[in-house]
Amino acid sequence: MTVNNTPRVTIATIADLAGVSVPTVSRVINGRSDVAVQTRERVEELLNRHGYRRRMVAARPTSGLVDLVFNDLDSPWAVEIIRGVEDVAHEAGIGTVVSAIHRRASSARQWLDSLRGRSTEGVIFVNSMVEPSLQGGLRRLNIPLVLVDADGIPQQDACTIGATNWAGGLSATEYLIGLGHRRIGFISGPPRLMCSRARMDGYRAALESAGLPVDDGLVQQGDFYHESGFACATRLLALPEPPTAIFAACDQMALGVYEAVRQRGLRVPDDISVVGFDDLPEVRWCSPPLTTVRQPLAEMGMLAARTVLRLAKGEDVESRRVELATELVVRDSATPPRER
Protein backbone atom coordinates (compact mmCIF):
# COMPACT_ATOMS: atom_id res chain seq x y z
CA MET A 1 0.00 0.00 0.00
CA THR A 2 1.35 3.42 -0.94
CA VAL A 3 1.08 6.14 1.66
CA ASN A 4 0.80 9.71 0.41
CA ASN A 5 2.80 11.92 2.75
CA THR A 6 2.20 15.11 0.75
CA PRO A 7 0.70 17.74 3.08
CA ARG A 8 -2.93 18.50 2.34
CA VAL A 9 -3.38 21.92 0.75
CA THR A 10 -5.77 24.05 2.76
CA ILE A 11 -7.65 27.25 2.04
CA ALA A 12 -5.27 29.02 4.45
CA THR A 13 -2.29 27.80 2.37
CA ILE A 14 -3.82 29.20 -0.82
CA ALA A 15 -4.67 32.48 0.95
CA ASP A 16 -1.04 32.89 2.11
CA LEU A 17 0.32 32.18 -1.36
CA ALA A 18 -2.13 34.57 -3.03
CA GLY A 19 -1.69 37.29 -0.42
CA VAL A 20 -5.41 37.49 0.30
CA SER A 21 -7.70 36.58 3.19
CA VAL A 22 -9.16 33.14 3.83
CA PRO A 23 -12.73 34.45 3.22
CA THR A 24 -11.61 35.70 -0.22
CA VAL A 25 -10.36 32.23 -1.22
CA SER A 26 -13.59 30.73 0.11
CA ARG A 27 -15.63 33.10 -2.04
CA VAL A 28 -13.68 32.05 -5.13
CA ILE A 29 -14.20 28.37 -4.31
CA ASN A 30 -17.92 28.92 -3.77
CA GLY A 31 -18.32 30.81 -7.03
CA ARG A 32 -19.20 34.14 -5.46
CA SER A 33 -19.19 37.08 -7.88
CA ASP A 34 -18.01 39.64 -5.31
CA VAL A 35 -14.27 39.09 -5.91
CA ALA A 36 -12.09 41.27 -8.14
CA VAL A 37 -11.29 39.61 -11.49
CA GLN A 38 -7.50 39.68 -11.02
CA THR A 39 -7.80 38.29 -7.50
CA ARG A 40 -10.12 35.52 -8.70
CA GLU A 41 -7.72 34.54 -11.50
CA ARG A 42 -4.72 34.47 -9.13
CA VAL A 43 -6.57 32.29 -6.60
CA GLU A 44 -7.95 29.95 -9.30
CA GLU A 45 -4.47 29.46 -10.73
CA LEU A 46 -3.08 28.54 -7.30
CA LEU A 47 -5.97 26.20 -6.58
CA ASN A 48 -5.33 24.35 -9.84
CA ARG A 49 -1.54 24.34 -9.46
CA HIS A 50 -1.67 22.83 -5.97
CA GLY A 51 -4.46 20.39 -6.75
CA TYR A 52 -6.85 21.73 -4.14
CA ARG A 53 -9.86 19.37 -3.90
CA ARG A 54 -13.03 21.38 -3.63
CA ARG A 55 -15.88 20.24 -1.46
CA MET A 56 -19.39 20.78 -2.68
CA VAL A 57 -20.56 23.53 -0.34
CA ALA A 58 -23.19 26.14 -0.80
CA ALA A 59 -22.14 29.74 -0.95
CA ARG A 60 -23.01 31.77 2.10
CA PRO A 61 -26.06 33.82 1.16
CA THR A 62 -25.92 37.58 1.16
CA SER A 63 -27.66 38.66 4.36
CA GLY A 64 -28.08 42.40 4.03
CA LEU A 65 -26.90 42.73 7.66
CA VAL A 66 -23.75 43.76 9.50
CA ASP A 67 -23.19 42.90 13.17
CA LEU A 68 -21.93 45.56 15.61
CA VAL A 69 -20.87 44.10 18.97
CA PHE A 70 -20.09 46.08 22.14
CA ASN A 71 -19.16 44.98 25.63
CA ASP A 72 -21.77 47.41 27.00
CA LEU A 73 -24.24 49.86 25.52
CA ASP A 74 -24.71 52.28 28.43
CA SER A 75 -22.57 55.09 27.03
CA PRO A 76 -23.13 58.02 24.66
CA TRP A 77 -19.72 57.05 23.26
CA ALA A 78 -21.31 53.86 21.90
CA VAL A 79 -24.14 55.87 20.34
CA GLU A 80 -21.64 57.84 18.25
CA ILE A 81 -20.02 54.63 16.96
CA ILE A 82 -23.45 53.20 16.11
CA ARG A 83 -24.37 56.40 14.27
CA GLY A 84 -21.29 56.14 12.07
CA VAL A 85 -21.82 52.45 11.27
CA GLU A 86 -25.49 52.97 10.48
CA ASP A 87 -24.77 55.90 8.15
CA VAL A 88 -22.61 53.67 5.95
CA ALA A 89 -24.87 50.61 6.29
CA HIS A 90 -27.96 52.62 5.34
CA GLU A 91 -26.22 54.02 2.27
CA ALA A 92 -25.28 50.47 1.24
CA GLY A 93 -28.80 49.16 1.83
CA ILE A 94 -27.57 47.07 4.77
CA GLY A 95 -29.19 46.67 8.18
CA THR A 96 -27.28 46.84 11.49
CA VAL A 97 -27.64 44.29 14.29
CA VAL A 98 -26.34 45.72 17.60
CA SER A 99 -25.40 43.37 20.45
CA ALA A 100 -23.76 43.58 23.89
CA ILE A 101 -21.76 40.73 25.42
CA HIS A 102 -20.92 42.39 28.80
CA ARG A 103 -17.29 41.14 28.83
CA ARG A 104 -18.42 37.58 29.49
CA ALA A 105 -16.94 34.66 27.54
CA SER A 106 -20.23 32.79 27.88
CA SER A 107 -22.11 35.70 26.29
CA ALA A 108 -19.60 35.82 23.43
CA ARG A 109 -20.04 32.08 22.80
CA GLN A 110 -23.81 32.45 22.94
CA TRP A 111 -23.61 35.32 20.46
CA LEU A 112 -21.48 33.20 18.09
CA ASP A 113 -23.95 30.31 18.37
CA SER A 114 -26.80 32.62 17.36
CA LEU A 115 -24.70 33.87 14.44
CA ARG A 116 -24.40 30.33 13.11
CA GLY A 117 -28.15 30.29 12.65
CA ARG A 118 -28.25 33.32 10.37
CA SER A 119 -26.16 35.23 7.85
CA THR A 120 -24.18 38.43 8.23
CA GLU A 121 -21.94 40.40 5.88
CA GLY A 122 -19.38 40.95 8.64
CA VAL A 123 -18.77 41.72 12.30
CA ILE A 124 -17.45 44.87 14.01
CA PHE A 125 -16.26 44.41 17.59
CA VAL A 126 -15.84 47.57 19.71
CA ASN A 127 -13.54 47.83 22.77
CA SER A 128 -13.11 44.08 22.75
CA MET A 129 -10.28 41.61 22.52
CA VAL A 130 -11.66 38.80 20.38
CA GLU A 131 -10.49 35.49 21.80
CA PRO A 132 -8.69 33.20 19.31
CA SER A 133 -11.53 30.66 19.59
CA LEU A 134 -14.10 33.31 18.69
CA GLN A 135 -11.98 34.63 15.84
CA GLY A 136 -11.50 31.05 14.63
CA GLY A 137 -15.25 30.52 14.72
CA LEU A 138 -15.80 33.59 12.56
CA ARG A 139 -13.15 32.37 10.11
CA ARG A 140 -14.85 29.00 9.80
CA LEU A 141 -18.09 30.81 9.01
CA ASN A 142 -16.24 32.94 6.41
CA ILE A 143 -17.25 36.12 8.26
CA PRO A 144 -14.88 39.11 8.07
CA LEU A 145 -14.01 40.91 11.31
CA VAL A 146 -13.01 44.51 12.13
CA LEU A 147 -11.97 45.73 15.60
CA VAL A 148 -12.60 49.28 16.86
CA ASP A 149 -10.41 50.40 19.80
CA ALA A 150 -9.24 46.86 20.45
CA ASP A 151 -8.98 45.64 24.04
CA GLY A 152 -5.32 44.58 24.22
CA ILE A 153 -2.96 43.83 21.32
CA PRO A 154 -4.94 42.35 18.40
CA GLN A 155 -3.77 39.44 16.30
CA GLN A 156 -1.50 40.43 13.44
CA ASP A 157 -4.01 39.76 10.67
CA ALA A 158 -6.88 41.63 12.36
CA CYS A 159 -8.23 44.83 10.82
CA THR A 160 -8.30 47.53 13.50
CA ILE A 161 -9.67 51.08 13.59
CA GLY A 162 -8.57 53.48 16.32
CA ALA A 163 -7.57 57.07 17.04
CA THR A 164 -4.30 58.82 17.86
CA ASN A 165 -4.80 58.44 21.61
CA TRP A 166 -1.18 59.12 22.56
CA ALA A 167 -1.14 62.35 20.57
CA GLY A 168 -4.46 63.34 22.13
CA GLY A 169 -3.17 62.78 25.67
CA LEU A 170 -0.04 64.73 24.79
CA SER A 171 -1.93 67.73 23.34
CA ALA A 172 -4.36 67.96 26.28
CA THR A 173 -1.53 67.97 28.81
CA GLU A 174 0.63 70.35 26.78
CA TYR A 175 -2.31 72.77 26.61
CA LEU A 176 -2.65 72.82 30.40
CA ILE A 177 1.11 73.24 30.80
CA GLY A 178 0.98 76.11 28.34
CA LEU A 179 -1.64 77.81 30.54
CA GLY A 180 0.82 77.66 33.42
CA HIS A 181 -0.36 74.55 35.30
CA ARG A 182 2.37 72.53 37.00
CA ARG A 183 0.31 70.13 39.15
CA ILE A 184 -1.95 68.36 36.69
CA GLY A 185 -4.07 65.47 37.88
CA PHE A 186 -4.88 62.63 35.51
CA ILE A 187 -7.83 60.22 35.65
CA SER A 188 -7.12 57.21 33.46
CA GLY A 189 -9.41 54.65 31.89
CA PRO A 190 -9.23 50.87 32.42
CA PRO A 191 -5.59 49.77 32.02
CA ARG A 192 -6.58 46.72 29.94
CA LEU A 193 -7.56 49.03 27.07
CA MET A 194 -4.82 50.13 24.68
CA CYS A 195 -6.50 53.53 24.26
CA SER A 196 -6.31 54.10 28.05
CA ARG A 197 -2.64 53.26 28.22
CA ALA A 198 -1.87 55.44 25.20
CA ARG A 199 -3.63 58.50 26.71
CA MET A 200 -1.71 58.06 29.96
CA ASP A 201 1.56 57.70 28.05
CA GLY A 202 0.78 60.95 26.23
CA TYR A 203 0.13 62.69 29.56
CA ARG A 204 3.43 61.44 30.98
CA ALA A 205 5.35 62.36 27.82
CA ALA A 206 4.07 65.95 27.94
CA LEU A 207 5.15 66.35 31.57
CA GLU A 208 8.57 64.85 30.93
CA SER A 209 9.08 67.01 27.82
CA ALA A 210 8.30 70.12 29.90
CA GLY A 211 10.75 69.05 32.61
CA LEU A 212 7.93 68.46 35.12
CA PRO A 213 7.94 65.50 37.51
CA VAL A 214 5.48 62.68 36.94
CA ASP A 215 3.79 62.49 40.34
CA ASP A 216 2.00 59.15 40.69
CA GLY A 217 0.01 60.69 43.54
CA LEU A 218 -1.75 62.84 40.94
CA VAL A 219 -2.81 59.83 38.84
CA GLN A 220 -6.09 58.06 39.58
CA GLN A 221 -7.54 55.04 37.77
CA GLY A 222 -11.10 55.41 36.53
CA ASP A 223 -13.33 53.26 34.36
CA PHE A 224 -14.71 55.70 31.74
CA TYR A 225 -17.95 56.32 33.70
CA HIS A 226 -19.21 59.44 35.52
CA GLU A 227 -19.04 57.83 38.97
CA SER A 228 -15.34 57.03 38.73
CA GLY A 229 -14.57 60.55 37.54
CA PHE A 230 -16.40 61.90 40.58
CA ALA A 231 -14.65 59.52 43.00
CA CYS A 232 -11.17 60.08 41.52
CA ALA A 233 -11.58 63.87 41.49
CA THR A 234 -12.80 63.81 45.10
CA ARG A 235 -9.57 62.08 46.13
CA LEU A 236 -7.42 64.46 44.10
CA LEU A 237 -9.12 67.55 45.53
CA ALA A 238 -8.64 66.22 49.08
CA LEU A 239 -4.85 66.08 48.71
CA PRO A 240 -2.84 68.43 50.98
CA GLU A 241 -1.61 70.05 47.78
CA PRO A 242 -4.36 69.41 45.19
CA PRO A 243 -3.83 69.79 41.45
CA THR A 244 -4.71 73.06 39.74
CA ALA A 245 -5.99 71.15 36.70
CA ILE A 246 -7.40 67.69 36.00
CA PHE A 247 -7.20 65.87 32.67
CA ALA A 248 -9.85 63.12 32.52
CA ALA A 249 -9.31 60.42 29.90
CA CYS A 250 -12.93 60.62 28.74
CA ASP A 251 -15.73 63.18 28.77
CA GLN A 252 -18.00 61.16 31.03
CA MET A 253 -15.34 61.13 33.74
CA ALA A 254 -14.72 64.85 33.15
CA LEU A 255 -18.39 65.52 33.91
CA GLY A 256 -17.94 63.52 37.12
CA VAL A 257 -15.04 65.86 37.93
CA TYR A 258 -17.40 68.82 37.47
CA GLU A 259 -19.71 67.43 40.15
CA ALA A 260 -16.85 66.73 42.58
CA VAL A 261 -15.65 70.31 42.14
CA ARG A 262 -19.18 71.65 42.72
CA GLN A 263 -19.73 69.58 45.85
CA ARG A 264 -16.48 70.91 47.30
CA GLY A 265 -17.76 74.47 46.88
CA LEU A 266 -15.34 75.22 44.06
CA ARG A 267 -15.84 76.33 40.47
CA VAL A 268 -14.59 75.25 37.03
CA PRO A 269 -12.37 76.87 35.75
CA ASP A 270 -11.93 79.57 38.42
CA ASP A 271 -10.60 77.17 41.03
CA ILE A 272 -9.62 74.18 38.92
CA SER A 273 -9.29 73.62 35.18
CA VAL A 274 -10.73 70.49 33.54
CA VAL A 275 -10.02 68.85 30.18
CA GLY A 276 -11.74 65.75 28.81
CA PHE A 277 -11.38 63.34 25.91
CA ASP A 278 -13.92 62.30 23.21
CA ASP A 279 -15.91 65.49 22.45
CA LEU A 280 -19.30 63.91 23.03
CA PRO A 281 -22.17 66.10 21.77
CA GLU A 282 -23.41 67.05 25.25
CA VAL A 283 -20.13 68.54 26.54
CA ARG A 284 -20.52 71.73 24.53
CA TRP A 285 -23.74 72.37 26.47
CA CYS A 286 -22.46 71.78 30.01
CA SER A 287 -21.49 74.75 32.17
CA PRO A 288 -18.85 75.77 31.39
CA PRO A 289 -18.51 74.11 27.96
CA LEU A 290 -15.78 71.48 28.23
CA THR A 291 -12.37 71.76 26.61
CA THR A 292 -11.67 68.28 25.29
CA VAL A 293 -9.79 66.16 22.78
CA ARG A 294 -12.04 65.30 19.88
CA GLN A 295 -11.97 61.62 19.03
CA PRO A 296 -13.71 61.07 15.66
CA LEU A 297 -16.07 58.41 16.97
CA ALA A 298 -18.67 58.55 14.22
CA GLU A 299 -15.93 58.57 11.58
CA MET A 300 -14.35 55.51 13.25
CA GLY A 301 -17.69 53.72 12.99
CA MET A 302 -18.05 54.75 9.34
CA LEU A 303 -14.57 53.51 8.45
CA ALA A 304 -15.15 50.23 10.30
CA ALA A 305 -18.37 49.66 8.36
CA ARG A 306 -16.76 50.49 5.01
CA THR A 307 -13.85 48.17 5.82
CA VAL A 308 -15.99 45.21 6.83
CA LEU A 309 -18.18 45.59 3.73
CA ARG A 310 -15.08 45.68 1.52
CA LEU A 311 -13.79 42.52 3.17
CA ALA A 312 -17.19 40.91 2.66
CA LYS A 313 -16.82 41.56 -1.08
CA GLY A 314 -13.38 39.97 -1.11
CA GLU A 315 -11.63 43.28 -1.71
CA ASP A 316 -8.26 44.16 -0.26
CA VAL A 317 -7.88 47.06 2.21
CA GLU A 318 -5.05 49.59 2.01
CA SER A 319 -4.01 49.13 5.65
CA ARG A 320 -5.11 46.65 8.27
CA ARG A 321 -4.40 49.10 11.11
CA VAL A 322 -5.73 52.64 10.88
CA GLU A 323 -5.61 55.50 13.40
CA LEU A 324 -7.74 58.60 12.80
CA ALA A 325 -6.43 61.94 14.04
CA THR A 326 -7.56 63.47 17.34
CA GLU A 327 -7.87 67.24 17.83
CA LEU A 328 -7.92 69.50 20.88
CA VAL A 329 -11.17 71.50 21.05
CA VAL A 330 -10.70 74.56 23.26
CA ARG A 331 -13.78 75.84 25.10
CA ASP A 332 -14.17 77.43 28.54
CA SER A 333 -13.21 74.85 31.18
CA ALA A 334 -9.50 75.66 31.45
CA THR A 335 -7.72 78.92 32.34
CA PRO A 336 -4.34 79.84 33.87
CA PRO A 337 -4.12 78.75 37.53
CA ARG A 338 -4.95 81.13 40.35
CA GLU A 339 -2.20 81.90 42.80
CA ARG A 340 -2.72 80.10 46.11
Side-chain angles (χ1 to χ4, degrees), residues 9 46-54:
V9 176
L46 287 167
L47 289 168
N48 293 331
R49 185 197 309 171
H50 292 276
Y52 179 82
R53 299 183 63 182
R54 308 183 189 215

Side-chain angles (χ1 to χ4, degrees), residues 209-288:
S209 178
L212 297 174
V214 178
D215 184 349
D216 290 336
L218 293 177
V219 176
Q220 294 282 324
Q221 183 184 311
D223 61 8
F224 283 163
Y225 289 96
H226 298 92
E227 294 81 2
S228 71
F230 173 82
C232 291
T234 298
R235 290 192 288 270
L236 288 171
L237 295 172
L239 291 173
E241 189 180 354
T244 60
I246 295 177
F247 169 31
C250 81
D251 287 349
Q252 284 184 275
M253 294 195 300
L255 294 179
V257 174
Y258 271 39
E259 180 59 15
V261 171
R262 188 193 69 80
Q263 288 195 17
R264 202 167 179 84
L266 303 174
R267 297 181 63 184
V268 175
D270 298 345
D271 300 298
I272 186 160
S273 292
V274 180
V275 174
F277 200 111
D278 282 337
D279 195 27
L280 298 175
E282 58 264 37
V283 301
R284 70 190 66 180
W285 303 109
C286 62
S287 182

Side-chain angles (χ1 to χ4, degrees), residues 158-221:
C159 280
T160 62
I161 309 295
T164 53
N165 291 288
W166 183 88
L170 181 79
S171 64
T173 311
E174 285 182 336
Y175 175 69
L176 291 169
I177 293 170
L179 289 175
H181 294 279
R182 295 298 177 264
R183 287 184 60 76
I184 301 170
F186 179 68
I187 303 176
S188 73
R192 69 175 181 279
L193 297 178
M194 290 180 66
C195 61
S196 297
R197 300 199 296 271
R199 292 171 200 178
M200 177 180 283
D201 289 344
Y203 160 80
R204 290 177 177 273
L207 294 176
E208 291 170 355
S209 178
L212 297 174
V214 178
D215 184 349
D216 290 336
L218 293 177
V219 176
Q220 294 282 324
Q221 183 184 311

Side-chain angles (χ1 to χ4, degrees), residues 45-339:
E45 192 273 331
L46 287 167
L47 289 168
N48 293 331
R49 185 197 309 171
H50 292 276
Y52 179 82
R53 299 183 63 182
R54 308 183 189 215
R55 292 180 298 166
M56 297 301 294
V57 294
R60 187 175 184 87
T62 300
S63 67
L65 297 172
V66 64
D67 276 75
L68 179 57
V69 184
F70 292 85
N71 280 309
D72 299 290
L73 285 168
D74 52 355
S75 165
W77 180 92
V79 173
E80 291 299 297
I81 297 286
I82 294 170
R83 184 165 63 84
V85 171
E86 287 201 323
D87 281 352
V88 171
H90 178 75
E91 186 178 341
I94 300 290
T96 307
V97 179
V98 180
S99 307
I101 57 175
H102 309 293
R103 303 191 189 281
R104 292 196 293 266
S106 58
S107 296
R109 288 193 297 270
Q110 186 178 14
W111 170 82
L112 182 60
D113 288 341
S114 72
L115 199 64
R116 291 190 178 100
R118 62 177 174 84
S119 296
T120 185
E121 299 297 323
V123 175
I124 300 168
F125 266 88
V126 183
N127 263 164
S128 299
M129 189 62 213
V130 182
E131 295 295 330
S133 59
L134 188 61
Q135 193 160 347
L138 292 172
R139 275 207 193 96
R140 286 189 290 275
L141 293 171
N142 298 329
I143 297 173
L145 168 68
V146 173
L147 303 176
V148 176
D149 262 349
D151 180 348
I153 300 174
Q155 295 186 17
Q156 244 182 355
D157 62 344
C159 280
T160 62
I161 309 295
T164 53
N165 291 288
W166 183 88
L170 181 79
S171 64
T173 311
E174 285 182 336
Y175 175 69
L176 291 169
I177 293 170
L179 289 175
H181 294 279
R182 295 298 177 264
R183 287 184 60 76
I184 301 170
F186 179 68
I187 303 176
S188 73
R192 69 175 181 279
L193 297 178
M194 290 180 66
C195 61
S196 297
R197 300 199 296 271
R199 292 171 200 178
M200 177 180 283
D201 289 344
Y203 160 80
R204 290 177 177 273
L207 294 176
E208 291 170 355
S209 178
L212 297 174
V214 178
D215 184 349
D216 290 336
L218 293 177
V219 176
Q220 294 282 324
Q221 183 184 311
D223 61 8
F224 283 163
Y225 289 96
H226 298 92
E227 294 81 2
S228 71
F230 173 82
C232 291
T234 298
R235 290 192 288 270
L236 288 171
L237 295 172
L239 291 173
E241 189 180 354
T244 60
I246 295 177
F247 169 31
C250 81
D251 287 349
Q252 284 184 275
M253 294 195 300
L255 294 179
V257 174
Y258 271 39
E259 180 59 15
V261 171
R262 188 193 69 80
Q263 288 195 17
R264 202 167 179 84
L266 303 174
R267 297 181 63 184
V268 175
D270 298 345
D271 300 298
I272 186 160
S273 292
V274 180
V275 174
F277 200 111
D278 282 337
D279 195 27
L280 298 175
E282 58 264 37
V283 301
R284 70 190 66 180
W285 303 109
C286 62
S287 182
L290 179 67
T291 292
T292 187
V293 176
R294 181 178 184 271
Q295 182 176 203
L297 297 170
E299 291 89 339
M300 288 162 63
M302 293 172 70
L303 182 57
R306 291 192 185 106
T307 301
V308 84
L309 291 177
R310 287 190 64 180
L311 293 173
K313 293 177 182 177
E315 298 175 359
D316 293 329
V317 294
E318 290 79 9
S319 175
R320 302 193 76 82
R321 297 196 180 183
V322 178
E323 286 189 343
L324 300 184
T326 53
E327 177 188 5
L328 182 69
V329 180
V330 176
R331 297 194 179 100
D332 301 330
S333 63
T335 59
R338 291 170 55 180
E339 293 188 12

